[in-house]
Amino acid sequence: VGKSTLFNALTAAGAESANYPFCTIEPNTGIVPVPDKRLDLLQGVINSQQVIPATVEILDIAGLVRGASKGEGLGNQFLGHIRSVDAVLHVVRCFDDADVVHVDGSVDPDRDIDTIDTELIFADLDSCEKRIKRFAKAAKGGDKDAQLHLGVAEKLVAILESGKPARSGDWTDEERLSVKDAQLITAKPVLYVCNVDEGGLDGTNAFVSAVRARAESENAGVVVICGQVEAEISELDEDDKVAFLEDLGLEEPGLNRLIHSGYKLLGLQTYFTVGPK
């Protein structure tokens, strides 16, 4: 709950957002500028004709249900779309509200993450088993590269069968290249986005604590955000936005933290251009 709301607040793209499962079917795409206060400082000194911030492309992909790896719900479409991304922002519901529908009837972040991870793990297991068949013969014949890929694939199967994502594995630099070559979904870096209500913005509720513990165990990041508040902030002009944030005790919109965290998740530095056209 909250994926499309956050996507709209980030991109002003007007994606459909509604209180029912599978509101999103085809992925929505938006290009988001990376907020950087250094740009304003430089522009104040240089007074450039053109300022071009760094950007990141965000896809709003349909949700997932149990059985997706076998084609249930929008599973096949979801798996196809998520394979194309460089990192995953996993929006997790971390608030109680009887008026907001949950497909499983209750709020449980751990269970919800398990639902997603289980389906992605099944999909990756299938990919790894195919790699084992692909490299087994050449590895037996003494091919060093095939032996490396086979060993990594077998190690990946062991990790995935234990219920853990591929990103939780401990890899040498050489093995990491083989994991990358496998193009596994659970090897992608993940940022858990805890969607809370306004009262949960301090990040101390039990739902958020559960997500933080989960993230720490699997080398993932966490950002706490209130989708509804961000949607309201995104519609304000700059002066009203500052006043609204002060009332909430915030220095900047949560979306700024989300964008920066997502950018760092990709291992990127923030690059921007200031100069003449």
Side-chain angles (χ1 to χ4, degrees):
V1 169
K3 288 189 301 83
S4 295
T5 297
L6 287 172
F7 177 82
N8 286 336
L10 275 167
T11 65
E16 184 177 1
S17 174
N19 181 20
Y20 55 83
F22 303 128
C23 169
T24 304
I25 296 178
E26 290 301 319
N28 303 298
T29 304
I31 305 296
V32 182
V34 179
D36 195 326
K37 293 180 180 178
R38 294 174 299 174
L39 275 174
D40 295 331
L41 294 173
L42 285 170
Q43 176 66 353
V45 174
I46 300 172
N47 193 25
S48 168
Q49 294 179 8
Q50 189 175 39
V51 177
I52 304 174
T55 59
V56 61
E57 182 178 359
I58 297 181
L59 272 67
D60 174 25
I61 301 174
L64 201 61
V65 296
R66 289 185 185 86
S69 59
K70 297 180 175 63
E72 295 293 329
L74 299 173
N76 290 333
Q77 293 180 54
F78 178 96
L79 295 172
H81 294 316
I82 200 171
R83 286 187 197 281
S84 70
V85 304
D86 297 308
V88 178
L89 304 181
H90 186 162
V91 180
V92 185
R93 178 172 171 177
C94 292
F95 65 90
D96 269 319
D97 187 336
D99 294 327
V100 179
V101 175
H102 191 295
V103 69
D104 286 323
S106 62
V107 180
D108 184 338
D110 257 330
R111 178 205 58 211
D112 293 347
I113 293 171
D114 279 337
T115 295
I116 300 291
D117 276 359
T118 298
E119 299 306 324
L120 300 184
I121 284 170
F122 281 147
D124 280 352
L125 268 172
D126 183 59
S127 296
C128 288
E129 287 164 359
K130 289 177 181 176
R131 282 178 73 80
I132 289 174
K133 292 178 181 178
R134 174 184 169 189
F135 292 111
K137 186 176 180 180
K140 191 174 181 180
D143 186 303
K144 297 296 184 184
D145 285 341
Q147 289 173 352
L148 170 67
H149 291 312
L150 178 62
V152 169
E154 290 174 339
K155 186 175 177 181
L156 281 165
V157 166
I159 292 171
L160 295 167
E161 285 184 340
S162 72
K164 295 180 180 179
R167 64 180 171 275
S168 65
D170 186 18
W171 310 103
T172 65
D173 290 342
E174 196 174 30
E175 288 175 329
R176 192 170 286 110
L177 290 174
S178 180
V179 173
K180 184 177 181 180
D181 181 66
Q183 297 182 322
L184 301 181
I185 301 171
T186 65
K188 298 177 186 295
V190 167
L191 178 67
Y192 289 114
V193 183
C194 296
N195 186 21
V196 301
D197 55 20
E198 190 172 329
L201 278 171
D202 60 2
T204 60
N205 75 35
F207 296 141
V208 173
S209 297
V211 177
R212 288 191 191 280
R214 178 74 170 249
E216 187 174 344
S217 72
E218 57 183 51
N219 302 318
V222 177
V223 169
V224 178
I225 204 166
C226 175
Q228 190 56 49
V229 166
E230 297 302 325
E232 293 174 12
I233 290 174
S234 68
E235 295 177 356
L236 300 175
D237 60 34
E238 286 304 312
D239 289 339
D240 290 339
K241 190 178 293 186
V242 171
F244 189 57
L245 288 170
E246 287 179 352
D247 288 342
L248 292 172
L250 301 174
E251 294 182 3
E252 63 177 356
L255 292 180
N256 287 14
R257 287 183 287 107
L258 173 57
I259 296 168
H260 281 295
S261 298
Y263 207 72
K264 290 176 182 176
L265 189 68
L266 297 173
L268 301 174
Q269 299 295 320
T270 304
Y271 293 102
F272 50 79
T273 302
V274 179
K277 291 184 179 179

